[in-house]
Amino acid sequence: MAHHSPRLILFDVDGTLILSQGVAGRLMLKAVETVSGKSFDYDVRDFAGFTDRLIMRRLLQRAGVPDSELEEKLQQAERLYLQWIAERFRNPHFVKVLPGVRELLERLQTENGFYPGLLTGNIREGARIKLGSVGLWDYFPVGAFGDDAEDRNQLPPVALRRAREHYSIDFRPEDTWIIGDAPNDVRCARANRIRSLAVASGVIPAEELQAEGPDVLLPDLRNVEEVLRILKG
């Protein structure tokens, strides 16, 4: 029997579960450049923790796409991006599953009282392609994605609703954790009265994450027993 109330554990993807050497970000930039006809610099840190659609929208605006064409160009860029990552991730030799992730996900399946899900800025199909390439997608029966809302802070209510429907458990925000590697993960959790476990396994240094005031900060998820103790708390 679980000695704690049921816990909904919502994971970010890039920098939290996997690293893919910036491949997806470069393909997203290429898609935006292709549909806009403009080239510009891109620093992945500028958009860490943002949703895919918001990133593409801002890049298209930066490229000077007029508002009247923005939605059409956004859809075109999204289609190209998904097509290209599907092709690129078929041979996922460049994708690294981060330390502790597989063991933690296995333990969450076998330990009573834990219910995993995703909360990610990735478009759902993008998350499926990335995680599916390394055998992680099936660990997550529910989630909220970047095509559910462009504002990340609007995703937790979506994830909670889907988790309640799937697991038939009335999860509350206080029963929930968000695990992520970016300041926006911490802000999103705080805005929704959800606890945050920040991991410095992505592109954002630990001191920058600490400045956001997460409930817990770890270098990564490799100490699975410690992570489980935290999530039970």
Side-chain angles (χ1 to χ4, degrees):
M1 295 289 292
H3 298 291
H4 55 86
S5 59
R7 295 283 189 262
L8 177 62
I9 314 298
L10 298 173
F11 289 84
D12 175 52
V13 174
D14 301 288
T16 301
L17 298 173
I18 62 170
L19 287 176
S20 55
Q21 299 181 22
V23 167
R26 289 193 294 274
L27 290 175
M28 182 180 292
L29 179 62
K30 180 183 174 184
V32 172
E33 290 179 336
T34 299
V35 303
S36 68
K38 300 283 180 65
S39 297
F40 41 85
D41 292 330
Y42 172 90
D43 183 346
V44 67
R45 286 173 51 88
D46 291 343
F47 295 108
F50 287 83
T51 63
D52 284 354
R53 282 191 175 162
L54 184 58
I55 294 169
M56 286 189 279
R57 182 181 298 280
R58 290 187 174 178
L59 289 172
L60 287 166
Q61 290 170 331
R62 187 182 296 179
V65 173
D67 290 346
S68 59
E69 300 176 18
L70 198 53
E71 294 306 319
E72 180 184 358
K73 296 291 188 185
L74 183 60
Q75 291 176 18
Q76 291 173 0
E78 184 177 309
R79 284 195 297 270
L80 277 178
Y81 166 67
L82 291 175
Q83 174 189 327
W84 289 341
I85 65 166
E87 294 167 357
R88 190 73 174 83
F89 278 73
R90 284 197 190 107
N91 181 11
H93 61 90
F94 57 91
V95 183
K96 175 186 178 183
V97 178
L98 285 162
V101 164
R102 286 194 194 275
E103 183 185 351
L104 177 59
L105 294 176
E106 283 291 328
R107 291 289 297 277
L108 292 179
Q109 286 200 324
T110 58
E111 296 253 344
N112 287 328
F114 291 111
Y115 300 87
L118 292 172
L119 194 145
T120 173
N122 279 273
I123 299 164
R124 185 183 188 280
E125 180 63 9
R128 186 195 67 77
I129 290 167
K130 291 178 182 181
L131 294 178
S133 74
V134 287
L136 297 183
W137 175 250
D138 290 340
Y139 285 104
F140 302 103
V142 297
F145 304 91
D147 40 350
D148 291 314
E150 289 189 15
D151 178 357
R152 194 182 194 97
N153 288 358
Q154 295 178 16
L155 294 180
V158 177
L160 282 164
R161 174 174 53 79
R162 289 176 178 163
R164 289 166 183 148
E165 292 170 355
H166 177 82
Y167 290 119
S168 299
I169 295 172
D170 187 21
F171 296 107
R172 302 167 299 171
E174 55 266 35
D175 301 322
T176 304
W177 284 85
I178 288 176
I179 302 179
D181 69 299
N184 275 352
D185 295 302
V186 180
R187 295 169 191 154
C188 170
R190 185 165 54 243
N192 287 274
R193 297 181 295 111
I194 290 171
R195 285 179 287 183
S196 58
L197 168 53
V199 286
S201 48
V203 298
I204 306 299
E207 54 270 22
E208 193 170 328
L209 290 170
Q210 186 62 60
E212 292 295 332
D215 291 282
V216 180
L217 173 63
L218 295 175
D220 53 37
L221 298 171
R222 76 178 67 223
N223 190 335
V224 172
E225 295 301 332
E226 180 185 13
V227 173
L228 289 172
R229 283 196 301 273
I230 290 165
L231 297 178
K232 288 175 184 176

